[in-house]
């Protein structure tokens, strides 16, 4: 086993260890909430999370393809999901470094991997804020009024995601780093396709939370709509504030506030912690399945050569 394989195996083991620790550490807090949910709601919620995570991978894959590096589904899944486990390791750049390293096996330049990685976040942020703006103001009312300033970011992000702006910013950054420019600039079609996958992901995340909320006693269309907006608002606010110490727990607070009109205090808290754990489990499941699928694909490709 060469050094690169040893480093990758070490990264995977460390990431899985931190991920499993994060799941185990939340179990005590969520066990009471899970006891109130049926198996149908739990399985359905996890399935929705898996769908959301796959949508996120397809968004990243669409960006890479538009920039000039198309990937087969199994290869994209392995790079994306195994790389995403890095977010459980202390430090914010592990997912990027892992994706850049694994992308080298498929001829993806580091600059292209970095561009696709960083572009996913403003696309997620713009689409998530749009979902929150459509679903929360009327139904949630005063409970989320403190977050109204987020709506001002929508037009800013839409302008910032215009291909001319994006390509100009990437080109400027690469020049400052003394790196060669991207071979293929980002296109409008690439932005729209990736934004479509992002919106599909928000629908799946909203479904995941709606099933939890339903199991905890909130029924009716209003609870479903609030679930969609609550998850989107929580993710967006957490992303914006996570760089500061005050950002710790901000996602949970935002989700709790958005669900306040349909759940009592204890039930809203249970919904928040159950959602967090199910998403963590989804990360581990996707990484495991992607790794197995990739190994199976390699084995199929190698089998004829071994028999000849």
């Amino acid at each position: 086993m060469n050094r690169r394989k040893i480093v990758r195996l070490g990264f995977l083991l460390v990431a899985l260890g931190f991920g499993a620790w994060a799941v185990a550490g939340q179990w005590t807090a969520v066990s009471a909430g899970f006891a109130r949910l049926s198996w149908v709601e739990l399985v359905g919620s996890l399935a929705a999370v898996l769908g959301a995570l796959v949508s996120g991978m397809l968004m990243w894959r669409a960006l890479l393809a538009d920039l000039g590096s198309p990937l087969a589904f199994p290869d994209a899944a392995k790079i994306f999901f195994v790389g995403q486990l890095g977010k459980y390791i202390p430090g914010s750049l592990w997912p990027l470094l892992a994706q850049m390293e694994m992308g080298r096996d498929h001829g993806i330049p580091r600059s292209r991997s970095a561009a696709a990685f960083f572009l996913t976040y403003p696309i997620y942020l713009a689409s998530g804020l749009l979902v929150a703006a459509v679903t929360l103001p009327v139904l949630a009312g005063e409970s989320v009024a403190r977050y109204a300033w987020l709506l001002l970011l929508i037009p800013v992000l839409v302008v910032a995601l215009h291909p001319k702006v994006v390509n100009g910013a990437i080109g400027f950054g690469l020049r400052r780093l003394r790196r060669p420019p991207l071979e293929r600039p980002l296109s409008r079609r690439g932005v729209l396709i990736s934004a479509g996958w992002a919106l599909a992901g928000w629908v799946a995340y909203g479904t995941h939370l709606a099933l939890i909320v339903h199991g905890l006693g909130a029924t009716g269309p209003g609870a479903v709509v609030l679930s969609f907006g609550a998850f989107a608002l929580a993710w967006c606010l957490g992303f914006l504030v996570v760089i500061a110490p005050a950002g710790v727990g901000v996602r949970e607070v935002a989700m709790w506030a958005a669900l306040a009109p349909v759940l009592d205090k204890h039930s809203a808290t249970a919904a928040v912690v159950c959602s967090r754990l199910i998403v963590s489990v989804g990360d581990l499941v996707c990484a495991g399945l992607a790794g197995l699928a990739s190994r199976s694909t390699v084995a199929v490709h190698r089998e004829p050569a071994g028999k000849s």
Side-chain angles (χ1 to χ4, degrees):
M1 184 179 291
N2 60 36
R3 180 185 293 182
R4 287 180 64 188
K5 289 185 177 180
I6 293 174
V7 170
R8 292 183 186 187
L9 179 60
F11 166 82
L12 181 59
L13 292 176
V14 171
L16 285 173
F18 274 103
W21 178 71
V23 170
Q26 298 170 29
W27 181 253
T28 301
V30 303
S31 56
F34 278 163
R36 297 171 59 184
L37 302 177
S38 69
W39 281 106
V40 173
E41 289 160 342
L42 283 172
V43 172
S45 183
L46 177 59
V49 165
L50 296 179
L53 293 171
V54 170
S55 295
M57 182 273 291
L58 292 172
M59 175 183 67
W60 170 81
R61 179 174 175 246
L63 288 169
L64 263 183
D66 193 61
L67 292 171
S69 291
L71 285 173
F73 186 94
D75 296 329
K78 178 184 177 181
I79 295 172
F80 183 82
F81 290 128
V82 174
Q84 284 296 298
L85 287 178
K87 66 186 179 183
Y88 291 102
I89 303 175
S92 58
L93 291 179
W94 289 110
L96 170 61
L97 296 176
Q99 289 180 10
M100 289 170 64
E101 173 63 24
M102 289 187 289
R104 287 176 58 194
D105 294 341
H106 300 274
I108 304 174
R110 291 180 180 273
S111 58
R112 196 175 296 167
S113 288
F117 176 86
F118 285 115
L119 280 171
T120 60
Y121 289 102
I123 292 173
Y124 257 138
L125 188 59
S127 56
L129 288 175
L130 182 61
V131 171
V134 171
T135 56
L136 290 180
V138 175
L139 294 174
E142 295 181 0
S143 65
V144 294
R146 75 187 80 172
Y147 306 122
W149 58 271
L150 288 168
L151 302 182
L152 299 176
L153 295 177
I154 296 178
V156 176
L157 287 166
V158 170
V159 172
L161 285 170
H162 191 282
K164 288 186 178 180
V165 178
V166 172
N167 292 324
I170 293 175
F172 175 77
L174 291 175
R175 287 194 298 272
R176 292 298 299 269
L177 294 172
R178 297 182 180 179
R179 299 288 184 180
L182 293 176
E183 294 86 348
R184 262 176 66 174
L186 186 70
S187 70
R188 182 177 300 178
R189 180 175 182 273
V191 173
L192 292 176
I193 291 176
S194 58
W197 283 119
L199 288 171
W202 290 124
V203 170
Y205 275 130
T207 302
H208 135 79
L209 186 57
L211 287 168
I212 295 174
V213 168
H214 180 273
L216 294 174
T219 59
V224 174
V225 173
L226 279 179
S227 297
F228 281 63
F231 196 98
L233 174 67
W235 188 94
C236 293
L237 195 64
F239 173 76
L240 290 170
V241 187
V242 75
I243 59 174
V248 176
V250 68
R251 296 186 184 187
E252 290 75 17
V253 172
M255 187 181 295
W256 186 90
L259 294 175
V262 294
L263 290 176
D264 60 61
K265 180 172 65 175
H266 297 296
S267 294
T269 301
V272 168
V273 293
C274 287
S275 171
R276 188 192 335 165
L277 181 58
I278 291 175
V279 171
S280 297
V281 171
D283 283 333
L284 297 177
V285 170
C286 280
L289 292 177
L292 290 174
S294 178
R295 289 175 65 89
S296 299
T297 301
V298 171
V300 168
H301 288 318
R302 287 180 176 174
E303 188 176 351
K307 289 183 177 180
S308 60

